[in-house]
Amino acid sequence: MSHLKINRVEKNYGAFHAVKGVSLEVEEGEFVVMVGPSGCGKSTLLRCIAGLEPITSGTITVGDHDITRAEPWDRGVAMVFQNYALYPHMTVRDNMGFALKVAGRPKAEIRAAVDKAAQTLRITEHLDKKPKALSGGQKQRVAIGRAITRAPEVFLFDEPLSNLDAALRSQMRVELGRLHNQLGATMIYVTHDQTEAMTMASRIVVLNGGVIEQVGTPLELYNKPESLFVAGFLGSPRMNFFDGRVLESRGRELSVEIPGMPGPVVVPLDDDVPVPQPGAQVRMGVRPEAVTLGGALELSVALVESLGRETLLYLEGGGLRTVDSESAEGFVAVQLPSQHQLRVGEPVKVGWDPASLYLFDDSGRRLATPDPGVPGRVWAGGGWNRPQGRARRGPTRLWRARRPGAGAG
Amino acid sequence: MSHLKINRVEKNYGAFHAVKGVSLEVEEGEFVVMVGPSGCGKSTLLRCIAGLEPITSGTITVGDHDITRAEPWDRGVAMVFQNYALYPHMTVRDNMGFALKVAGRPKAEIRAAVDKAAQTLRITEHLDKKPKALSGGQKQRVAIGRAITRAPEVFLFDEPLSNLDAALRSQMRVELGRLHNQLGATMIYVTHDQTEAMTMASRIVVLNGGVIEQVGTPLELYNKPESLFVAGFLGSPRMNFFDGRVLESRGRELSVEIPGMPGPVVVPLDDDVPVPQPGAQVRMGVRPEAVTLGGALELSVALVESLGRETLLYLEGGGLRTVDSESAEGFVAVQLPSQHQLRVGEPVKVGWDPASLYLFDDSGRRLATPDPGVPGRVWAGGGWNRPQGRARRGPTRLWRARRPGAGAG
Amino acid sequence: MTDMSRQTGATPTWYGRIAASQSMLVLPALVLCTLFIFIPAFLTIVGSFYAFGLTSERWTPVGLANYVKAGNDPIFWVALKNNLIIVFGSIVMQVGIGTVLAAILDRGIGFGQVFFRVVIFMPMVISAVAVALIWLIILDPNIGILNALVKSLGLSPPTRGWLGDPSISIWMVLIVAGWQYTGFMMVLILAGLQAIPKDLYEAAALDGARGMRAFWSITLPNLRNVLLVAVLITTIGGFKVFDLIFVLTGGGPANATQVLGTYIYLQAFTLTNMGYANAIAVVLLAIAVLLGWLQLKASRQS
Amino acid sequence: MTHFAPRFRIVQALLYGFVGLWSAFVLMPVAWMIFAAFKTRREIFTDPLGLPGQWTFDSFRRAWGVGLGQFMFNSVVVTTSAVLIILLVSGLAAYVIARSRSVWMKLLYLLIVAGFAVPNNAVIVPLYQMVTAADFGNSHFGIVWVYAAYGIPFTTILFFAFFLDFPRELEEAARLDGCRPWAVFFRVVMPLSGPAIASAAIFQAVFIWNEFLLALLLLTQPDKKTLPVGILQLQGEFTSDWPAVMAGLSIATLPIILLFLILQRSFVRSLAGLGK
Amino acid sequence: QDIKMWTLETEGLQGFIEQAAAEFEEQHPGVNIIHERFPNEAYKTQIQVALTGSSPPDVFFNWAGEDAARLVRDGLAADITEYGQAEGGFAENVSEGWLANFAYEGSNYGVTHEGVSKYFYYDPVFFEDHGLEPPETFEGLLQLCQDIRAIDSDIVPWPLGNSERWKLNHIITMLNQRVLGTEATAADYALTAPEDELFTDPGYVEAWQKVVDLMDAGCFQDAPNATSPEASRSMFAAGVSPMIYCGTWCANIFAEEGFDSFEMFRFPSVEGGAGDPGGQFLVPQGYMVSAKSENPELAAEWISFLVSDEQARAYAEQVGSIVSNAAQIDQVEGTRWFKFFVEDIAQASETVNVLDVLLEASVANAYLDAGVEVLNRTKTPEEAMEMIRAAALEAKNG
Ligand SMILES: Nc1ncnc2c1ncn2[C@@H]1O[C@H](COP(=O)(O)OP(=O)(O)OP(=O)(O)O)[C@@H](O)[C@H]1O
Ligand SMILES: Nc1ncnc2c1ncn2[C@@H]1O[C@H](COP(=O)(O)OP(=O)(O)OP(=O)(O)O)[C@@H](O)[C@H]1O
Ligand SMILES: [Mg+2]
Ligand SMILES: [Mg+2]
């Protein structure tokens, strides 16, 4: 049986529906990350679980207990707030022990619990300081410590790292992961940082406009997004999207015309989707890392970002424009996992494996997603230059060979 | 002649020396990024250039003018502040035109300048709003616009993007790059975000404790850090460092003993450094992306972070511990540019090309840096299994082939 | 105010320039304060060592005699005691009730917040003279509504009158002062309450503290600085009080409501003992300066 | 805002009750003052609790005849000019002190703070003698400076704290934009000191509008008197004409209450700055 | 030339001064009279403060008594004897006796303009209805109170508004005179009595005891110390109380409040008292000239003008006051009560000045406070006198 069960929870603020019937089951010890654009209801849902907001309808159970109407402190949940919400007038020790003190536990027990949590979080030497004497990372640790001492059944985190700087964030990320392993507790974690989501989650919940778009492991979501929204949401730089029109279908392969592309693009459809009619509007997606140098598409460099270990290229080319991309100009983003010396304006040829393409219909539903098991061939401009039929998913291999040097196929 | 010339500038706050004799020349149109740890004096130096702080000694010239003692408004510099510093009581238009208004320029000229800048920054439709009605990104654009209208000789930026969220930051990064190309102005940019530094800079200045550690292009710094500090500063996750002891030297190759490593490690020394004595303490570095799967070193997985397009592994192994790393546990960080399904605790074998190794002496000075031109061989546990002598630097190639599948050499 | 330390030790240009040439700009303030505050204060201190009448130009040096006289003057001690009663009474009443009202307005009630806030604050803007006159008539034993009210409740009002009974009158003064200033304290504290981050309460709710427990554990400690300011304003106000008592009771009946402020006035202008009045004024001055210094210290700490 | 479960309803009713009771306590005297102004002399005496039998403005006319209009005008003149002087003088002083790093300025600040503690009734005689010696008696011009002097310490403290917290970047941006020190102060700092200016102005306006002792001693000419002194005069003037006294008080009080009602939002908000 | 004049806020005064000033200015081209008025309570302070300042009023109102004497001692009042002697000067119009009120060591420092007195006012209709008579003696007064209470115990026979402390002071002034007589008190009042005799006469205690007797007889209402003089007047004027002891100035006020059918009687005599029962309460008040005045001569001329026959008559007519220049008093078209006052005072065998004006300030203050305490019954008559004696001793020595 699942540990935390959210059943058709709705939350209205007056006429505004912030959460629209969300159901979710979380197993014991899972680390569930909720992501979604700002205002999609992540915090609201979390606060409903914590009991800080009464829900409009639905039920929430933890273990066997229906906690839908329970008081916050009776729910066995602890919450870590974005801006820490430490009690400024108490020492770190008192902050962490406050819940136990309110519960009337003996002093020795409180002391032991606090000391243990402090050790876990490596803040023992700060126990007698006031919060304002701590750095951001330390404060965040105290906030987590406050949750730990209560030994709750479920931890709730609302963007706990977003006030920290990049280096500290990645460090705290690692620590939180370790902590989760160590405590084995159920955690629900809200963030808008996809790196956090991808790296920490056992499962990611993508919320959009108060409803769940998709739930799955990070790689499931990355590789097989159910919708355009999820596809665009994960990955940075974003997936390159191109608007196109279906030309014809041959079996489960679709030929799509994309303005600015020298010829039609062939996309192998997923098995479980209906084949769209010719003339239908579709949106094709290709991830920046799936675009490789060499290929039939000739573009020119608009911007190079050398990050040392990887290089981001932003390419522009005649009529070919991405839609809904990070750069307002509709550049094609390319991520290369090595250093390159390219100059702005320089022409480059790129291509991609048709098996790495994504395709969505005009309502944003998935038509095609890449098959990570099959090393595809590089698309080389028009035509059906691959054996008919798409290879079924083979055994998952540890990594996909990259052959960046390979030219037009 | 260089455009901005900083000559042995010192800045003391009472007994505290914030900037200790910094000299730097910036060419016209360059984009110089200053990075360094918090408190190293980046902002102080910038403010000295702007004239907001009087310098203790040294000179600053812009073009032919010695501006060391000039008033801020006479220096031909404009500054963009971290938290925008927009005048809250003025509309966007007035904010941007304020400098010209103070200078007593005719209304029409102000209008034209503001309109032009607004167009460049795509904020024309917000010109009549007050700053508080704008989003963070828009505010930052207005702050930049305020600098642009003054048409300064030098733009100064002090962490202009650090208050923005990740997505907006990468978008603004692209825009700033475009703007720099468009205006061709000299820009000095302070940041603590290394992605910004790597992607935007023509040259990076690494400051540490009030002195310049190194100046160079991003890739120079990444590939050939002069010091341990610079090597550790650029790259995320950080370079893996191992403490070791020199066993012996054979020509310009050094055999280093590293605790926890099954055998001595052979590192080809750079040409221009003295060969250290046997027994000397050294620190060896290897970048997470230089560690490849397969090899003679057997470690186990401590943590996996799947980012979709890349996978970060944190490995632990017996006595082998990295020092000064992001994770306090001394894990070895490995970055793989593809998806991998690894479980925590699973054993993995890794190795690296000796030519990709960094070595520093005990004062942190460079002894060995990788030669990006030579695809090295994978180290496979002890011995000298590579042809004697290190290959000289060949012609720089666009990318280095990765052969992740290759086993022990 | 902790910023002061951050600026120290730097070599100034801009701000230094202000310090040097623009320091002239503090002159108007300095001159006005010196002329109308410091010199009179100085003369008051000097005068406290002399005996002289309001209208006489002969000053007889008497050393500390005026202070000795104050020490032996029961009315001086009554006045000081009354000041203390007003100070502590006001703290209890104005700050205490103000805090309760503010807490209720902040979290306890759903609507009507603005209405209540405005109404309760309103007396603050009315002149103390007007307040005293209104209350003077309300408390009048013959035509006042308080008597009428009390009688209509079947009780009997004090026979010597609300302001005529020495054991009651000082408390009536306290009530009138409370009537006027409680709203001010309430708004001050309300502002402090609203500055407490809401998520502290949420964290406390998750920790099991709600209602009174949250009030004691979260609200009050976080309100500490604001309460300190409120207490100090009330204290200084309590020592400075003059108009209200002057009009309401004139210090009577039989000095029962005399405070330092009115006693200075009585000694100086009615009894024309200027030297003695000055000595009392110096006591008041010393208390006020001490409290001002405390306030400065307290706000430094926050 | 957290929600309230049903069992909080009773508590909430109690809370409303308390606030309501206090509001009634506050409102009652004011309401009574207005009703009394409409009563006849006899009614006040015979029926203190009842409503006035007739709503006539006779007593208002009598009260106004004393010259309340003149008093009010005087109060407005004195209050506005003194407040303006206080704001300007204290603003400049506080800015200079807040931005100065000199020890002298810090001492000066302490001196001014000490001035805050000096109650004017403690120093009234020397003060009176100095003021009349300067021939400032019976002159609005004169009393304005005295009021200004007593308003400066408090306002300087208020502004000083505000300027210390004033975002330094804004001033620096202005300097880079070409502002000379004066321009920085008047074009950037002052316009953004709205909350501090508002709370200082409101405080001083209330203090000065209601100031009694100095006005009593210094403004003796009938056409120079300010409201508080004028109000007190009502009592002497009308001996036992309570309706007229109450009408006069109503006339004197209602404008400032109305002003407060209009400005209450910024008034109350600006107080928030004082708490911190 | 400006002549600044300070007076109390008295009904009818302003109109009179305006008209007088107009005439005076006509006679003296270039002269400008500036008239400023003050409420009773604040005036004492203000005039003293003003006189020590640099621009005091040229002419100012004052009560004859200790305050005026101190001003003379401190050199703040100008000696105007010679101006009075001049042609048309005040000495021509005001008798020596009246002038003596402001004369010190043979010099005139001021001119008495008028005198105010106090009487019992009563409602003749009420008295008639219940068969009551104005009392002749103090015993009769006590009996009267008891009789009225007997009619209806809620009726306050004699409202006393002592919140400003001077109301009872006027009563005790009269009681002292009635019990002790003028001679017996003179040395005490002037603080010239030897220390061990100062205010030791048992008559002082007896006078206070008479106040207690009045309270015991139910004369006053419950809270005299909390009742303002105005309120007590209203009680009489509104017909709630049948009598009141009030100043000559009260008559006009009652009339204005719509009650003008009152009658008056004198403060009754005390059996066995040493005082002259013909003695009558009279507070002389007049004008003084500031020593700092730049135009003492002109100021004195203005005062002389005010007490000239014509102006005195006009003043009596407009204000209904007992003027010091009684030359034309017969021709005054006065009210019924004005005529009564003038005639009655003319018969007075001696005049009694009120204690709070007559005594040294701190002794006066002690007397005022003692009154409050006795009324509150917080001090017995003996204790009250202890308090006064202590103040007197200190004033004499300090
Ligand atoms: N107390 C409230 N009253 C009315 N609407 C509210 C309230 N709280 C939140 N909302 C609305 O509910 C929606 C969801 O808010 P929520 O805070 O859950 O978003 P979020 O996903 O956490 O966003 P973010 O990433 O910005 O934190 C928003 O549109 C918000 O405006
Ligand atoms: N006004 C000042 N008075 C005294 N010390 C100062 C002052 N301003 C800065 N410092 C000190 O100078 C050093 C450099 O500060 P600076 O602001 O230049 O650092 P930074 O490199 O910009 O750091 P960050 O990345 O945190 O912005 C710090 O140690 C700081 O404490
Ligand atoms: Mg949120
Ligand atoms: Mg900085």
Side-chain angles (χ1 to χ4, degrees), chain D residues 51-104:
Chain D
L51 285 180
Q54 248 185 323
W55 296 91
T56 62
F57 283 88
D58 275 354
S59 45
F60 286 89
R61 217 165 292 130
R62 287 200 300 276
W64 187 258
V66 182
L68 277 186
Q70 178 75 45
F71 299 152
M72 208 174 285
F73 174 79
N74 293 341
S75 276
V76 169
V77 169
V78 168
T79 306
T80 9
S81 15
V83 167
L84 286 181
I85 292 173
I86 291 172
L87 292 181
L88 186 72
V89 169
S90 318
L92 283 174
Y95 184 68
V96 172
I97 296 172
R99 291 293 176 260
S100 162
R101 290 154 173 167
S102 120
V103 181
W104 292 109

Side-chain angles (χ1 to χ4, degrees), chain E residues 8 23 56 60 113 152 192-193 246 291-292 295 331 340:
Chain E
L8 284 184
E23 280 178 44
F60 60 93
H113 185 213
D152 180 347
T192 50
C246 208
K292 292 178 183 161
N295 268 310
Q331 298 159 40
F340 170 86

Side-chain angles (χ1 to χ4, degrees), chain B residues 11-14 16-19 36-47 53 82 158-159 190-192 207, chain C residues 5-10, chain D residues 101:
Chain B
K11 170 71 195 173
N12 304 344
Y13 287 114
F16 179 75
H17 296 228
V19 175
S38 188
C40 69
K42 306 181 295 289
S43 299
T44 305
L45 187 54
L46 208 65
R47 293 161 53 80
E53 300 277 356
Q82 172 172 352
D158 195 355
E159 312 197 7
V190 165
T191 181
H192 61 252
L207 273 175
Chain C
S5 55
R6 209 182 61 200
Q7 309 162 12
T8 49
Chain D
R101 290 154 173 167

Side-chain angles (χ1 to χ4, degrees), chain D residues 41 128 132 216 221 239-240, chain E residues 9 36 46 49 54 230 257:
Chain D
R41 295 179 189 204
Y128 178 87
T132 48
L216 178 72
Q221 232 158 284
T239 54
S240 51
Chain E
E9 187 83 66
E36 297 174 8
Q46 271 169 319
V49 175
S54 70
E230 292 85 0
E257 287 194 26

